[in-house]
Amino acid sequence: MRFRTMKNVTVITGGAGGMGLATARVLGRDHRVLICDVRQERLDAALAELRAQGIDCDASVCDITDRSAVDALVQRAAQSGTLASVVHTAGLSPQMAEPETIMKVNALGTVNIVEACLGHAREGFALVNVASMAAHMMPSLLCPTRAYPLALSDADTFLRRAVRRANLMPKALYRRGMAYGISKHFVIWLSRHSAARFGEKGARVLSVSPGSFDTEMGRLEEKSGSAEMLRTAALKRFGTPAEIAEVLAFCASSKAGYLTGTDILCDGGVIAGRRG
């Protein structure tokens, strides 16, 4: 392993592209960075780019739905230095998969990240989970919130109930959108629910809800009407990866040392425009 010991290390899931790679560029200024993704070729390209910029980094293939793989990822980072933070950007959008897969990756994958991080949390550690402004657009009555705690004890039942709720929608695209919204609403809930457990160790956990950003995934979601929502936004443009990366990096840093158990909405004023 190329890492030496005792330097601050940050893990970035989904770090091979989009906001994850942009965040690696920011945090890589003063941290060693371990990026992960499910595709080796994307990791190879990202790793070459980051190293060319002088960033001390390494990469690991990791499927976040596999708890043992997530445990190994976090363990690797913890053994390579002082694990300072994890920024969890990995996830699927409505255009990328069916409801059950979206729920497995976005919701249960985040459970795996939270639990693995909790085992290594220490004073000053921070976990930043990426949610979505879609969670803020979900009517609470449509979210199966009573099933959320089951994700920590009976994942199969949680998954079944959440997917069943999404499948109430009449069209496939709506069902995928509903699954995405529920999964990200769950991420906000889980981050808030986990704050006390992290706090016992002097550590933090929170979520950030991005709006429409100019990333590969963000542009893919134009088909779902993300660009249309900008018409009523305060800032009528897509955000840049660099802008959301700065938010994520700040939340993960010691500068945000009193920020935990909450969600940061970074959407250019889309939700504000919808609510008037």
Side-chain angles (χ1 to χ4, degrees), residues 133 209-213 229-240 243-244 264-274:
M133 73 172 179
S209 288
S212 297
F213 279 82
M229 288 187 291
L230 298 179
R231 291 174 51 188
T232 57
L235 301 178
K236 303 184 187 306
R237 63 173 177 85
F238 276 71
T240 68
E243 287 173 321
I244 190 64
I264 306 298
L265 178 62
C266 183
D267 69 341
V270 170
I271 299 301
R274 290 172 61 91

mmCIF file with all atom_site columns, all heavy atoms in Angstrom, residues 133 209-213 229-240 243-244 264-274:
data_model
loop_
_atom_site.group_PDB
_atom_site.id
_atom_site.type_symbol
_atom_site.label_atom_id
_atom_site.label_alt_id
_atom_site.label_comp_id
_atom_site.label_asym_id
_atom_site.label_entity_id
_atom_site.label_seq_id
_atom_site.pdbx_PDB_ins_code
_atom_site.Cartn_x
_atom_site.Cartn_y
_atom_site.Cartn_z
_atom_site.occupancy
_atom_site.B_iso_or_equiv
_atom_site.pdbx_formal_charge
_atom_site.auth_seq_id
_atom_site.auth_comp_id
_atom_site.auth_asym_id
_atom_site.auth_atom_id
_atom_site.pdbx_PDB_model_num
ATOM 1   N N   . MET A 1 133 ? -32.242 17.158 -3.095  1.00 0.00 ? 133 MET A N   1
ATOM 2   C CA  . MET A 1 133 ? -33.394 18.044 -2.937  1.00 0.00 ? 133 MET A CA  1
ATOM 3   C C   . MET A 1 133 ? -34.689 17.289 -3.200  1.00 0.00 ? 133 MET A C   1
ATOM 4   O O   . MET A 1 133 ? -35.764 17.709 -2.753  1.00 0.00 ? 133 MET A O   1
ATOM 5   C CB  . MET A 1 133 ? -33.293 19.251 -3.855  1.00 0.00 ? 133 MET A CB  1
ATOM 6   C CG  . MET A 1 133 ? -33.537 18.989 -5.326  1.00 0.00 ? 133 MET A CG  1
ATOM 7   S SD  . MET A 1 133 ? -33.613 20.519 -6.271  1.00 0.00 ? 133 MET A SD  1
ATOM 8   C CE  . MET A 1 133 ? -33.859 19.864 -7.929  1.00 0.00 ? 133 MET A CE  1
ATOM 9   N N   . SER A 1 209 ? -28.026 17.901 0.734   1.00 0.00 ? 209 SER A N   1
ATOM 10  C CA  . SER A 1 209 ? -28.998 17.644 -0.329  1.00 0.00 ? 209 SER A CA  1
ATOM 11  C C   . SER A 1 209 ? -28.718 18.547 -1.526  1.00 0.00 ? 209 SER A C   1
ATOM 12  O O   . SER A 1 209 ? -29.137 19.701 -1.554  1.00 0.00 ? 209 SER A O   1
ATOM 13  C CB  . SER A 1 209 ? -30.430 17.884 0.177   1.00 0.00 ? 209 SER A CB  1
ATOM 14  O OG  . SER A 1 209 ? -30.825 16.858 1.060   1.00 0.00 ? 209 SER A OG  1
ATOM 15  N N   . PRO A 1 210 ? -28.015 18.032 -2.533  1.00 0.00 ? 210 PRO A N   1
ATOM 16  C CA  . PRO A 1 210 ? -27.762 18.845 -3.724  1.00 0.00 ? 210 PRO A CA  1
ATOM 17  C C   . PRO A 1 210 ? -29.012 18.958 -4.589  1.00 0.00 ? 210 PRO A C   1
ATOM 18  O O   . PRO A 1 210 ? -29.884 18.088 -4.584  1.00 0.00 ? 210 PRO A O   1
ATOM 19  C CB  . PRO A 1 210 ? -26.676 18.056 -4.476  1.00 0.00 ? 210 PRO A CB  1
ATOM 20  C CG  . PRO A 1 210 ? -26.169 17.041 -3.489  1.00 0.00 ? 210 PRO A CG  1
ATOM 21  C CD  . PRO A 1 210 ? -27.317 16.749 -2.589  1.00 0.00 ? 210 PRO A CD  1
ATOM 22  N N   . GLY A 1 211 ? -29.062 20.036 -5.361  1.00 0.00 ? 211 GLY A N   1
ATOM 23  C CA  . GLY A 1 211 ? -30.096 20.191 -6.370  1.00 0.00 ? 211 GLY A CA  1
ATOM 24  C C   . GLY A 1 211 ? -29.575 19.703 -7.704  1.00 0.00 ? 211 GLY A C   1
ATOM 25  O O   . GLY A 1 211 ? -28.945 18.652 -7.789  1.00 0.00 ? 211 GLY A O   1
ATOM 26  N N   . SER A 1 212 ? -29.806 20.465 -8.762  1.00 0.00 ? 212 SER A N   1
ATOM 27  C CA  . SER A 1 212 ? -29.392 20.080 -10.116 1.00 0.00 ? 212 SER A CA  1
ATOM 28  C C   . SER A 1 212 ? -27.975 20.578 -10.378 1.00 0.00 ? 212 SER A C   1
ATOM 29  O O   . SER A 1 212 ? -27.735 21.782 -10.415 1.00 0.00 ? 212 SER A O   1
ATOM 30  C CB  . SER A 1 212 ? -30.348 20.675 -11.147 1.00 0.00 ? 212 SER A CB  1
ATOM 31  O OG  . SER A 1 212 ? -31.657 20.160 -10.965 1.00 0.00 ? 212 SER A OG  1
ATOM 32  N N   . PHE A 1 213 ? -27.062 19.621 -10.574 1.00 0.00 ? 213 PHE A N   1
ATOM 33  C CA  . PHE A 1 213 ? -25.665 19.967 -10.802 1.00 0.00 ? 213 PHE A CA  1
ATOM 34  C C   . PHE A 1 213 ? -25.194 19.444 -12.145 1.00 0.00 ? 213 PHE A C   1
ATOM 35  O O   . PHE A 1 213 ? -25.706 18.442 -12.661 1.00 0.00 ? 213 PHE A O   1
ATOM 36  C CB  . PHE A 1 213 ? -24.784 19.437 -9.666  1.00 0.00 ? 213 PHE A CB  1
ATOM 37  C CG  . PHE A 1 213 ? -24.811 20.322 -8.456  1.00 0.00 ? 213 PHE A CG  1
ATOM 38  C CD1 . PHE A 1 213 ? -25.841 20.220 -7.539  1.00 0.00 ? 213 PHE A CD1 1
ATOM 39  C CD2 . PHE A 1 213 ? -23.841 21.293 -8.272  1.00 0.00 ? 213 PHE A CD2 1
ATOM 40  C CE1 . PHE A 1 213 ? -25.896 21.067 -6.438  1.00 0.00 ? 213 PHE A CE1 1
ATOM 41  C CE2 . PHE A 1 213 ? -23.886 22.141 -7.184  1.00 0.00 ? 213 PHE A CE2 1
ATOM 42  C CZ  . PHE A 1 213 ? -24.909 22.033 -6.262  1.00 0.00 ? 213 PHE A CZ  1
ATOM 43  N N   . MET A 1 229 ? -37.270 22.449 -13.499 1.00 0.00 ? 229 MET A N   1
ATOM 44  C CA  . MET A 1 229 ? -37.455 23.009 -12.163 1.00 0.00 ? 229 MET A CA  1
ATOM 45  C C   . MET A 1 229 ? -36.668 24.297 -11.963 1.00 0.00 ? 229 MET A C   1
ATOM 46  O O   . MET A 1 229 ? -36.982 25.089 -11.080 1.00 0.00 ? 229 MET A O   1
ATOM 47  C CB  . MET A 1 229 ? -37.059 21.979 -11.102 1.00 0.00 ? 229 MET A CB  1
ATOM 48  C CG  . MET A 1 229 ? -38.038 20.830 -10.968 1.00 0.00 ? 229 MET A CG  1
ATOM 49  S SD  . MET A 1 229 ? -37.672 19.746 -9.577  1.00 0.00 ? 229 MET A SD  1
ATOM 50  C CE  . MET A 1 229 ? -36.154 18.982 -10.138 1.00 0.00 ? 229 MET A CE  1
ATOM 51  N N   . LEU A 1 230 ? -35.635 24.512 -12.785 1.00 0.00 ? 230 LEU A N   1
ATOM 52  C CA  . LEU A 1 230 ? -34.838 25.725 -12.643 1.00 0.00 ? 230 LEU A CA  1
ATOM 53  C C   . LEU A 1 230 ? -35.608 26.984 -13.002 1.00 0.00 ? 230 LEU A C   1
ATOM 54  O O   . LEU A 1 230 ? -35.205 28.088 -12.652 1.00 0.00 ? 230 LEU A O   1
ATOM 55  C CB  . LEU A 1 230 ? -33.576 25.616 -13.506 1.00 0.00 ? 230 LEU A CB  1
ATOM 56  C CG  . LEU A 1 230 ? -32.606 24.484 -13.149 1.00 0.00 ? 230 LEU A CG  1
ATOM 57  C CD1 . LEU A 1 230 ? -31.430 24.480 -14.107 1.00 0.00 ? 230 LEU A CD1 1
ATOM 58  C CD2 . LEU A 1 230 ? -32.125 24.607 -11.707 1.00 0.00 ? 230 LEU A CD2 1
ATOM 59  N N   . ARG A 1 231 ? -36.709 26.826 -13.695 1.00 0.00 ? 231 ARG A N   1
ATOM 60  C CA  . ARG A 1 231 ? -37.511 27.987 -14.097 1.00 0.00 ? 231 ARG A CA  1
ATOM 61  C C   . ARG A 1 231 ? -38.000 28.774 -12.897 1.00 0.00 ? 231 ARG A C   1
ATOM 62  O O   . ARG A 1 231 ? -38.134 30.005 -12.965 1.00 0.00 ? 231 ARG A O   1
ATOM 63  C CB  . ARG A 1 231 ? -38.692 27.539 -14.952 1.00 0.00 ? 231 ARG A CB  1
ATOM 64  C CG  . ARG A 1 231 ? -38.306 27.018 -16.336 1.00 0.00 ? 231 ARG A CG  1
ATOM 65  C CD  . ARG A 1 231 ? -39.490 26.456 -17.068 1.00 0.00 ? 231 ARG A CD  1
ATOM 66  N NE  . ARG A 1 231 ? -40.623 27.381 -17.085 1.00 0.00 ? 231 ARG A NE  1
ATOM 67  C CZ  . ARG A 1 231 ? -41.841 27.071 -17.541 1.00 0.00 ? 231 ARG A CZ  1
ATOM 68  N NH1 . ARG A 1 231 ? -42.081 25.855 -17.997 1.00 0.00 ? 231 ARG A NH1 1
ATOM 69  N NH2 . ARG A 1 231 ? -42.802 27.968 -17.533 1.00 0.00 ? 231 ARG A NH2 1
ATOM 70  N N   . THR A 1 232 ? -38.292 28.098 -11.805 1.00 0.00 ? 232 THR A N   1
ATOM 71  C CA  . THR A 1 232 ? -38.795 28.779 -10.615 1.00 0.00 ? 232 THR A CA  1
ATOM 72  C C   . THR A 1 232 ? -37.749 28.891 -9.517  1.00 0.00 ? 232 THR A C   1
ATOM 73  O O   . THR A 1 232 ? -38.053 29.316 -8.404  1.00 0.00 ? 232 THR A O   1
ATOM 74  C CB  . THR A 1 232 ? -40.030 28.048 -10.055 1.00 0.00 ? 232 THR A CB  1
ATOM 75  O OG1 . THR A 1 232 ? -39.686 26.688 -9.773  1.00 0.00 ? 232 THR A OG1 1
ATOM 76  C CG2 . THR A 1 232 ? -41.180 28.085 -11.054 1.00 0.00 ? 232 THR A CG2 1
ATOM 77  N N   . ALA A 1 233 ? -36.511 28.510 -9.833  1.00 0.00 ? 233 ALA A N   1
ATOM 78  C CA  . ALA A 1 233 ? -35.440 28.575 -8.840  1.00 0.00 ? 233 ALA A CA  1
ATOM 79  C C   . ALA A 1 233 ? -34.932 30.005 -8.694  1.00 0.00 ? 233 ALA A C   1
ATOM 80  O O   . ALA A 1 233 ? -35.095 30.844 -9.578  1.00 0.00 ? 233 ALA A O   1
ATOM 81  C CB  . ALA A 1 233 ? -34.294 27.658 -9.244  1.00 0.00 ? 233 ALA A CB  1
ATOM 82  N N   . ALA A 1 234 ? -34.295 30.278 -7.573  1.00 0.00 ? 234 ALA A N   1
ATOM 83  C CA  . ALA A 1 234 ? -33.681 31.596 -7.380  1.00 0.00 ? 234 ALA A CA  1
ATOM 84  C C   . ALA A 1 234 ? -32.508 31.788 -8.337  1.00 0.00 ? 234 ALA A C   1
ATOM 85  O O   . ALA A 1 234 ? -32.346 32.850 -8.934  1.00 0.00 ? 234 ALA A O   1
ATOM 86  C CB  . ALA A 1 234 ? -33.221 31.739 -5.927  1.00 0.00 ? 234 ALA A CB  1
ATOM 87  N N   . LEU A 1 235 ? -31.682 30.766 -8.480  1.00 0.00 ? 235 LEU A N   1
ATOM 88  C CA  . LEU A 1 235 ? -30.564 30.780 -9.424  1.00 0.00 ? 235 LEU A CA  1
ATOM 89  C C   . LEU A 1 235 ? -30.929 29.864 -10.580 1.00 0.00 ? 235 LEU A C   1
ATOM 90  O O   . LEU A 1 235 ? -31.007 28.656 -10.411 1.00 0.00 ? 235 LEU A O   1
ATOM 91  C CB  . LEU A 1 235 ? -29.273 30.295 -8.753  1.00 0.00 ? 235 LEU A CB  1
ATOM 92  C CG  . LEU A 1 235 ? -28.813 31.094 -7.533  1.00 0.00 ? 235 LEU A CG  1
ATOM 93  C CD1 . LEU A 1 235 ? -27.549 30.477 -6.950  1.00 0.00 ? 235 LEU A CD1 1
ATOM 94  C CD2 . LEU A 1 235 ? -28.569 32.560 -7.903  1.00 0.00 ? 235 LEU A CD2 1
ATOM 95  N N   . LYS A 1 236 ? -31.145 30.417 -11.726 1.00 0.00 ? 236 LYS A N   1
ATOM 96  C CA  . LYS A 1 236 ? -31.701 29.648 -12.845 1.00 0.00 ? 236 LYS A CA  1
ATOM 97  C C   . LYS A 1 236 ? -30.600 29.016 -13.693 1.00 0.00 ? 236 LYS A C   1
ATOM 98  O O   . LYS A 1 236 ? -30.441 29.294 -14.876 1.00 0.00 ? 236 LYS A O   1
ATOM 99  C CB  . LYS A 1 236 ? -32.598 30.556 -13.684 1.00 0.00 ? 236 LYS A CB  1
ATOM 100 C CG  . LYS A 1 236 ? -33.716 31.169 -12.848 1.00 0.00 ? 236 LYS A CG  1
ATOM 101 C CD  . LYS A 1 236 ? -34.674 31.993 -13.681 1.00 0.00 ? 236 LYS A CD  1
ATOM 102 C CE  . LYS A 1 236 ? -35.670 32.719 -12.785 1.00 0.00 ? 236 LYS A CE  1
ATOM 103 N NZ  . LYS A 1 236 ? -36.401 31.838 -11.866 1.00 0.00 ? 236 LYS A NZ  1
ATOM 104 N N   . ARG A 1 237 ? -29.846 28.151 -13.036 1.00 0.00 ? 237 ARG A N   1
ATOM 105 C CA  . ARG A 1 237 ? -28.768 27.432 -13.706 1.00 0.00 ? 237 ARG A CA  1
ATOM 106 C C   . ARG A 1 237 ? -28.440 26.165 -12.937 1.00 0.00 ? 237 ARG A C   1
ATOM 107 O O   . ARG A 1 237 ? -28.809 26.017 -11.762 1.00 0.00 ? 237 ARG A O   1
ATOM 108 C CB  . ARG A 1 237 ? -27.513 28.301 -13.790 1.00 0.00 ? 237 ARG A CB  1
ATOM 109 C CG  . ARG A 1 237 ? -26.926 28.669 -12.419 1.00 0.00 ? 237 ARG A CG  1
ATOM 110 C CD  . ARG A 1 237 ? -25.589 29.382 -12.558 1.00 0.00 ? 237 ARG A CD  1
ATOM 111 N NE  . ARG A 1 237 ? -25.038 29.804 -11.276 1.00 0.00 ? 237 ARG A NE  1
ATOM 112 C CZ  . ARG A 1 237 ? -24.304 29.023 -10.466 1.00 0.00 ? 237 ARG A CZ  1
ATOM 113 N NH1 . ARG A 1 237 ? -24.056 27.750 -10.802 1.00 0.00 ? 237 ARG A NH1 1
ATOM 114 N NH2 . ARG A 1 237 ? -23.829 29.509 -9.336  1.00 0.00 ? 237 ARG A NH2 1
ATOM 115 N N   . PHE A 1 238 ? -27.747 25.266 -13.608 1.00 0.00 ? 238 PHE A N   1
ATOM 116 C CA  . PHE A 1 238 ? -27.197 24.112 -12.913 1.00 0.00 ? 238 PHE A CA  1
ATOM 117 C C   . PHE A 1 238 ? -26.023 24.575 -12.039 1.00 0.00 ? 238 PHE A C   1
ATOM 118 O O   . PHE A 1 238 ? -25.286 25.495 -12.398 1.00 0.00 ? 238 PHE A O   1
ATOM 119 C CB  . PHE A 1 238 ? -26.677 23.080 -13.919 1.00 0.00 ? 238 PHE A CB  1
ATOM 120 C CG  . PHE A 1 238 ? -27.740 22.159 -14.453 1.00 0.00 ? 238 PHE A CG  1
ATOM 121 C CD1 . PHE A 1 238 ? -28.716 22.621 -15.322 1.00 0.00 ? 238 PHE A CD1 1
ATOM 122 C CD2 . PHE A 1 238 ? -27.758 20.830 -14.076 1.00 0.00 ? 238 PHE A CD2 1
ATOM 123 C CE1 . PHE A 1 238 ? -29.692 21.772 -15.811 1.00 0.00 ? 238 PHE A CE1 1
ATOM 124 C CE2 . PHE A 1 238 ? -28.726 19.969 -14.561 1.00 0.00 ? 238 PHE A CE2 1
ATOM 125 C CZ  . PHE A 1 238 ? -29.701 20.430 -15.425 1.00 0.00 ? 238 PHE A CZ  1
ATOM 126 N N   . GLY A 1 239 ? -25.854 23.932 -10.904 1.00 0.00 ? 239 GLY A N   1
ATOM 127 C CA  . GLY A 1 239 ? -24.669 24.182 -10.099 1.00 0.00 ? 239 GLY A CA  1
ATOM 128 C C   . GLY A 1 239 ? -23.472 23.484 -10.714 1.00 0.00 ? 239 GLY A C   1
ATOM 129 O O   . GLY A 1 239 ? -23.613 22.570 -11.533 1.00 0.00 ? 239 GLY A O   1
ATOM 130 N N   . THR A 1 240 ? -22.284 23.897 -10.340 1.00 0.00 ? 240 THR A N   1
ATOM 131 C CA  . THR A 1 240 ? -21.070 23.265 -10.839 1.00 0.00 ? 240 THR A CA  1
ATOM 132 C C   . THR A 1 240 ? -20.572 22.230 -9.823  1.00 0.00 ? 240 THR A C   1
ATOM 133 O O   . THR A 1 240 ? -20.802 22.379 -8.613  1.00 0.00 ? 240 THR A O   1
ATOM 134 C CB  . THR A 1 240 ? -19.957 24.285 -11.092 1.00 0.00 ? 240 THR A CB  1
ATOM 135 O OG1 . THR A 1 240 ? -19.506 24.815 -9.832  1.00 0.00 ? 240 THR A OG1 1
ATOM 136 C CG2 . THR A 1 240 ? -20.449 25.424 -11.975 1.00 0.00 ? 240 THR A CG2 1
ATOM 137 N N   . GLU A 1 243 ? -18.758 23.764 -6.938  1.00 0.00 ? 243 GLU A N   1
ATOM 138 C CA  . GLU A 1 243 ? -19.553 24.438 -5.910  1.00 0.00 ? 243 GLU A CA  1
ATOM 139 C C   . GLU A 1 243 ? -20.047 23.447 -4.859  1.00 0.00 ? 243 GLU A C   1
ATOM 140 O O   . GLU A 1 243 ? -19.955 23.722 -3.653  1.00 0.00 ? 243 GLU A O   1
ATOM 141 C CB  . GLU A 1 243 ? -20.741 25.154 -6.560  1.00 0.00 ? 243 GLU A CB  1
ATOM 142 C CG  . GLU A 1 243 ? -20.332 26.405 -7.322  1.00 0.00 ? 243 GLU A CG  1
ATOM 143 C CD  . GLU A 1 243 ? -21.467 27.023 -8.111  1.00 0.00 ? 243 GLU A CD  1
ATOM 144 O OE1 . GLU A 1 243 ? -22.279 26.268 -8.704  1.00 0.00 ? 243 GLU A OE1 1
ATOM 145 O OE2 . GLU A 1 243 ? -21.551 28.265 -8.160  1.00 0.00 ? 243 GLU A OE2 1
ATOM 146 N N   . ILE A 1 244 ? -20.573 22.323 -5.280  1.00 0.00 ? 244 ILE A N   1
ATOM 147 C CA  . ILE A 1 244 ? -21.060 21.346 -4.290  1.00 0.00 ? 244 ILE A CA  1
ATOM 148 C C   . ILE A 1 244 ? -19.888 20.689 -3.571  1.00 0.00 ? 244 ILE A C   1
ATOM 149 O O   . ILE A 1 244 ? -19.982 20.344 -2.390  1.00 0.00 ? 244 ILE A O   1
ATOM 150 C CB  . ILE A 1 244 ? -21.988 20.300 -4.946  1.00 0.00 ? 244 ILE A CB  1
ATOM 151 C CG1 . ILE A 1 244 ? -22.679 19.443 -3.867  1.00 0.00 ? 244 ILE A CG1 1
ATOM 152 C CG2 . ILE A 1 244 ? -21.244 19.421 -5.928  1.00 0.00 ? 244 ILE A CG2 1
ATOM 153 C CD1 . ILE A 1 244 ? -23.598 20.212 -2.956  1.00 0.00 ? 244 ILE A CD1 1
ATOM 154 N N   . ILE A 1 264 ? -28.131 19.837 4.924   1.00 0.00 ? 264 ILE A N   1
ATOM 155 C CA  . ILE A 1 264 ? -27.816 21.107 4.270   1.00 0.00 ? 264 ILE A CA  1
ATOM 156 C C   . ILE A 1 264 ? -28.364 21.050 2.846   1.00 0.00 ? 264 ILE A C   1
ATOM 157 O O   . ILE A 1 264 ? -27.921 20.236 2.032   1.00 0.00 ? 264 ILE A O   1
ATOM 158 C CB  . ILE A 1 264 ? -26.295 21.361 4.223   1.00 0.00 ? 264 ILE A CB  1
ATOM 159 C CG1 . ILE A 1 264 ? -25.678 21.251 5.623   1.00 0.00 ? 264 ILE A CG1 1
ATOM 160 C CG2 . ILE A 1 264 ? -26.015 22.707 3.586   1.00 0.00 ? 264 ILE A CG2 1
ATOM 161 C CD1 . ILE A 1 264 ? -26.202 22.246 6.612   1.00 0.00 ? 264 ILE A CD1 1
ATOM 162 N N   . LEU A 1 265 ? -29.335 21.902 2.552   1.00 0.00 ? 265 LEU A N   1
ATOM 163 C CA  . LEU A 1 265 ? -29.935 21.962 1.224   1.00 0.00 ? 265 LEU A CA  1
ATOM 164 C C   . LEU A 1 265 ? -29.136 22.918 0.354   1.00 0.00 ? 265 LEU A C   1
ATOM 165 O O   . LEU A 1 265 ? -29.021 24.100 0.674   1.00 0.00 ? 265 LEU A O   1
ATOM 166 C CB  . LEU A 1 265 ? -31.391 22.411 1.330   1.00 0.00 ? 265 LEU A CB  1
ATOM 167 C CG  . LEU A 1 265 ? -32.175 22.567 0.023   1.00 0.00 ? 265 LEU A CG  1
ATOM 168 C CD1 . LEU A 1 265 ? -32.285 21.246 -0.716  1.00 0.00 ? 265 LEU A CD1 1
ATOM 169 C CD2 . LEU A 1 265 ? -33.560 23.135 0.314   1.00 0.00 ? 265 LEU A CD2 1
ATOM 170 N N   . CYS A 1 266 ? -28.599 22.412 -0.755  1.00 0.00 ? 266 CYS A N   1
ATOM 171 C CA  . CYS A 1 266 ? -27.792 23.230 -1.666  1.00 0.00 ? 266 CYS A CA  1
ATOM 172 C C   . CYS A 1 266 ? -28.363 23.056 -3.069  1.00 0.00 ? 266 CYS A C   1
ATOM 173 O O   . CYS A 1 266 ? -27.891 22.227 -3.851  1.00 0.00 ? 266 CYS A O   1
ATOM 174 C CB  . CYS A 1 266 ? -26.329 22.789 -1.595  1.00 0.00 ? 266 CYS A CB  1
ATOM 175 S SG  . CYS A 1 266 ? -25.219 23.771 -2.622  1.00 0.00 ? 266 CYS A SG  1
ATOM 176 N N   . ASP A 1 267 ? -29.395 23.839 -3.386  1.00 0.00 ? 267 ASP A N   1
ATOM 177 C CA  . ASP A 1 267 ? -30.176 23.594 -4.606  1.00 0.00 ? 267 ASP A CA  1
ATOM 178 C C   . ASP A 1 267 ? -30.388 24.833 -5.467  1.00 0.00 ? 267 ASP A C   1
ATOM 179 O O   . ASP A 1 267 ? -31.225 24.822 -6.378  1.00 0.00 ? 267 ASP A O   1
ATOM 180 C CB  . ASP A 1 267 ? -31.530 22.995 -4.235  1.00 0.00 ? 267 ASP A CB  1
ATOM 181 C CG  . ASP A 1 267 ? -32.434 23.989 -3.514  1.00 0.00 ? 267 ASP A CG  1
ATOM 182 O OD1 . ASP A 1 267 ? -31.912 25.000 -2.975  1.00 0.00 ? 267 ASP A OD1 1
ATOM 183 O OD2 . ASP A 1 267 ? -33.653 23.790 -3.504  1.00 0.00 ? 267 ASP A OD2 1
ATOM 184 N N   . GLY A 1 268 ? -29.655 25.917 -5.181  1.00 0.00 ? 268 GLY A N   1
ATOM 185 C CA  . GLY A 1 268 ? -29.831 27.130 -5.971  1.00 0.00 ? 268 GLY A CA  1
ATOM 186 C C   . GLY A 1 268 ? -31.178 27.780 -5.791  1.00 0.00 ? 268 GLY A C   1
ATOM 187 O O   . GLY A 1 268 ? -31.614 28.602 -6.604  1.00 0.00 ? 268 GLY A O   1
ATOM 188 N N   . GLY A 1 269 ? -31.880 27.432 -4.731  1.00 0.00 ? 269 GLY A N   1
ATOM 189 C CA  . GLY A 1 269 ? -33.181 28.035 -4.446  1.00 0.00 ? 269 GLY A CA  1
ATOM 190 C C   . GLY A 1 269 ? -34.359 27.380 -5.152  1.00 0.00 ? 269 GLY A C   1
ATOM 191 O O   . GLY A 1 269 ? -35.428 27.994 -5.277  1.00 0.00 ? 269 GLY A O   1
ATOM 192 N N   . VAL A 1 270 ? -34.210 26.118 -5.581  1.00 0.00 ? 270 VAL A N   1
ATOM 193 C CA  . VAL A 1 270 ? -35.330 25.410 -6.216  1.00 0.00 ? 270 VAL A CA  1
ATOM 194 C C   . VAL A 1 270 ? -36.473 25.212 -5.226  1.00 0.00 ? 270 VAL A C   1
ATOM 195 O O   . VAL A 1 270 ? -37.631 25.526 -5.534  1.00 0.00 ? 270 VAL A O   1
ATOM 196 C CB  . VAL A 1 270 ? -34.867 24.057 -6.793  1.00 0.00 ? 270 VAL A CB  1
ATOM 197 C CG1 . VAL A 1 270 ? -36.081 23.232 -7.234  1.00 0.00 ? 270 VAL A CG1 1
ATOM 198 C CG2 . VAL A 1 270 ? -33.931 24.268 -7.970  1.00 0.00 ? 270 VAL A CG2 1
ATOM 199 N N   . ILE A 1 271 ? -36.165 24.689 -4.055  1.00 0.00 ? 271 ILE A N   1
ATOM 200 C CA  . ILE A 1 271 ? -37.217 24.417 -3.067  1.00 0.00 ? 271 ILE A CA  1
ATOM 201 C C   . ILE A 1 271 ? -37.837 25.723 -2.592  1.00 0.00 ? 271 ILE A C   1
ATOM 202 O O   . ILE A 1 271 ? -39.060 25.814 -2.402  1.00 0.00 ? 271 ILE A O   1
ATOM 203 C CB  . ILE A 1 271 ? -36.668 23.603 -1.890  1.00 0.00 ? 271 ILE A CB  1
ATOM 204 C CG1 . ILE A 1 271 ? -36.145 22.247 -2.369  1.00 0.00 ? 271 ILE A CG1 1
ATOM 205 C CG2 . ILE A 1 271 ? -37.742 23.409 -0.813  1.00 0.00 ? 271 ILE A CG2 1
ATOM 206 C CD1 . ILE A 1 271 ? -37.175 21.379 -3.054  1.00 0.00 ? 271 ILE A CD1 1
ATOM 207 N N   . ALA A 1 272 ? -37.033 26.749 -2.421  1.00 0.00 ? 272 ALA A N   1
ATOM 208 C CA  . ALA A 1 272 ? -37.571 28.056 -2.010  1.00 0.00 ? 272 ALA A CA  1
ATOM 209 C C   . ALA A 1 272 ? -38.558 28.569 -3.056  1.00 0.00 ? 272 ALA A C   1
ATOM 210 O O   . ALA A 1 272 ? -39.614 29.146 -2.716  1.00 0.00 ? 272 ALA A O   1
ATOM 211 C CB  . ALA A 1 272 ? -36.431 29.058 -1.833  1.00 0.00 ? 272 ALA A CB  1
ATOM 212 N N   . GLY A 1 273 ? -38.246 28.372 -4.338  1.00 0.00 ? 273 GLY A N   1
ATOM 213 C CA  . GLY A 1 273 ? -39.140 28.823 -5.394  1.00 0.00 ? 273 GLY A CA  1
ATOM 214 C C   . GLY A 1 273 ? -40.437 28.058 -5.428  1.00 0.00 ? 273 GLY A C   1
ATOM 215 O O   . GLY A 1 273 ? -41.511 28.624 -5.710  1.00 0.00 ? 273 GLY A O   1
ATOM 216 N N   . ARG A 1 274 ? -40.391 26.772 -5.123  1.00 0.00 ? 274 ARG A N   1
ATOM 217 C CA  . ARG A 1 274 ? -41.593 25.941 -5.117  1.00 0.00 ? 274 ARG A CA  1
ATOM 218 C C   . ARG A 1 274 ? -42.512 26.298 -3.951  1.00 0.00 ? 274 ARG A C   1
ATOM 219 O O   . ARG A 1 274 ? -43.729 26.214 -4.055  1.00 0.00 ? 274 ARG A O   1
ATOM 220 C CB  . ARG A 1 274 ? -41.232 24.455 -5.025  1.00 0.00 ? 274 ARG A CB  1
ATOM 221 C CG  . ARG A 1 274 ? -40.586 23.907 -6.291  1.00 0.00 ? 274 ARG A CG  1
ATOM 222 C CD  . ARG A 1 274 ? -40.084 22.494 -6.055  1.00 0.00 ? 274 ARG A CD  1
ATOM 223 N NE  . ARG A 1 274 ? -41.155 21.584 -5.703  1.00 0.00 ? 274 ARG A NE  1
ATOM 224 C CZ  . ARG A 1 274 ? -41.866 20.866 -6.559  1.00 0.00 ? 274 ARG A CZ  1
ATOM 225 N NH1 . ARG A 1 274 ? -41.645 20.990 -7.861  1.00 0.00 ? 274 ARG A NH1 1
ATOM 226 N NH2 . ARG A 1 274 ? -42.822 20.046 -6.161  1.00 0.00 ? 274 ARG A NH2 1
#
